[in-house]
């Protein structure tokens, strides 16, 4: 039973534009959310996170938004750059020390 | 950042044979390592958590006699798929956790590049 879902397997966006990646979850006990980025032949690397006490966290070009009532979070990348082309995984945990539950990932392609 | 390696990156084996996958933390000591499995277009699924010097903790539904995990040192964990069958074909990925250093647990988890296993 997949508790974290990324319903868009792929996303194509033009360089300079905004990339919006979406993630939905079903477990209301999830309290901590993370985004990972993965290049081919490399492992996922931590990108940004948010705890449930916040609804927004920003780090440079990356912003994560959390809507707890909708059990939905999103990652915004502005402006998108060619180096952002990668697979992005959404993950969630019941607390900052809990096991990670991953989504299936979204392949982002940034075109010139 | 911290580097985690996996070896081999790709392996093809015959049904019934055993395959060992190594996970190494190259520039840090990892008290805890994790093994995940990913099927095509599916999410990473945690298989087990291993702590150095103790037995691994397996997730529900994961056969511990099938997937042997050894965390013999602070820099090495191995996953052995015993008597592999075609349904074991998958992408196996490990991660290692650095000490907290004031950061939350998940943010200090570093992933290896993965091992693709194909069982014929």
């Amino acid at each position: 039973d997949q508790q974290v879902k990324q319903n868009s397997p792929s996303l194509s966006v033009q360089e300079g534009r905004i990339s919006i990646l979406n993630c939905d979850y079903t477990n209301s006990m999830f309290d901590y959310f993370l985004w990972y980025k993965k290049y081919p032949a490399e492992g996922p690397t931590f990108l940004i996170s948010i705890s449930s006490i916040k609804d927004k966290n920003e780090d440079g070009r990356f912003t994560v938004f959390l809507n707890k009532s909708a059990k939905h979070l999103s990652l915004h990348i502005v402006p998108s750059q060619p180096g952002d082309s990668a697979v992005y995984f959404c993950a969630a945990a019941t607390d900052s020390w809990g096991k990670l539950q991953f989504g299936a990932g979204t392949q982002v392609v940034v075109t010139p | 950042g911290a580097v985690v390696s996996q070896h081999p990156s790709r392996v093809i084996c015959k049904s019934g044979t055993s395959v060992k996958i190594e996970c190494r933390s190259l520039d840090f000591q990892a008290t805890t390592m994790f093994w995940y499995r990913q099927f095509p277009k599916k999410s990473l699924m945690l298989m087990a958590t291993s702590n150095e010097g103790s037995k691994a903790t397996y997730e529900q539904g994961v056969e511990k006699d099938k997937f042997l995990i050894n965390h013999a040192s602070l820099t090495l964990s191995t996953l052995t798929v015993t008597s592999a069958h075609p349904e074991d074909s998958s992408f196996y990925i490990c991660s290692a956790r650095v000490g907290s250093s004031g950061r939350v647990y998940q943010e200090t988890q570093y992933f290896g590049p993965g091992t693709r296993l194909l069982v014929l």
Side-chain angles (χ1 to χ4, degrees), chain A residues 99, chain B residues 32-35 46-51 54-59 69 71 105:
Chain A
K99 294 181 292 189
Chain B
T32 306
M33 287 185 170
F34 305 87
W35 287 96
L46 180 64
M47 298 174 66
T49 301
S50 76
N51 292 293
S54 63
K55 290 184 178 180
T57 302
Y58 289 81
E59 295 300 301
I69 292 172
H71 193 159
Y105 182 81

Side-chain angles (χ1 to χ4, degrees), chain A residues 2 32 34 36 41-44 46 49 89 93 95-100 102-104, chain B residues 36 38 41-44 46 59 91 93 97 100 103-107 109 111-113:
Chain A
Q2 198 139 338
Y32 202 77
L34 306 92
Y36 287 85
E42 295 182 13
F46 169 74
S49 64
F89 290 98
D95 55 56
S96 60
W97 290 85
K99 294 181 292 189
L100 290 170
F102 283 88
Chain B
Y36 294 83
Q38 184 182 23
K41 298 184 180 180
K42 299 290 185 183
S43 59
L44 290 166
L46 180 64
E59 295 300 301
F91 188 68
I93 191 165
R97 186 173 73 88
S100 63
R103 298 175 66 189
V104 296
Y105 182 81
Q106 294 93 345
E107 294 180 18
Q109 197 174 153
F111 288 83

Side-chain angles (χ1 to χ4, degrees), chain A residues 76-97:
Chain A
H76 292 208
I77 307 174
V78 183
S80 299
Q81 299 175 353
D84 296 330
S85 296
V87 176
Y88 291 79
F89 290 98
C90 170
T94 53
D95 55 56
S96 60
W97 290 85

Side-chain angles (χ1 to χ4, degrees), chain A residues 44, chain B residues 1-4 28 94-98 103 106-112:
Chain B
V3 179
V4 176
F28 65 98
C94 73
S95 70
R97 186 173 73 88
V98 183
R103 298 175 66 189
Q106 294 93 345
E107 294 180 18
T108 56
Q109 197 174 153
Y110 296 93
F111 288 83

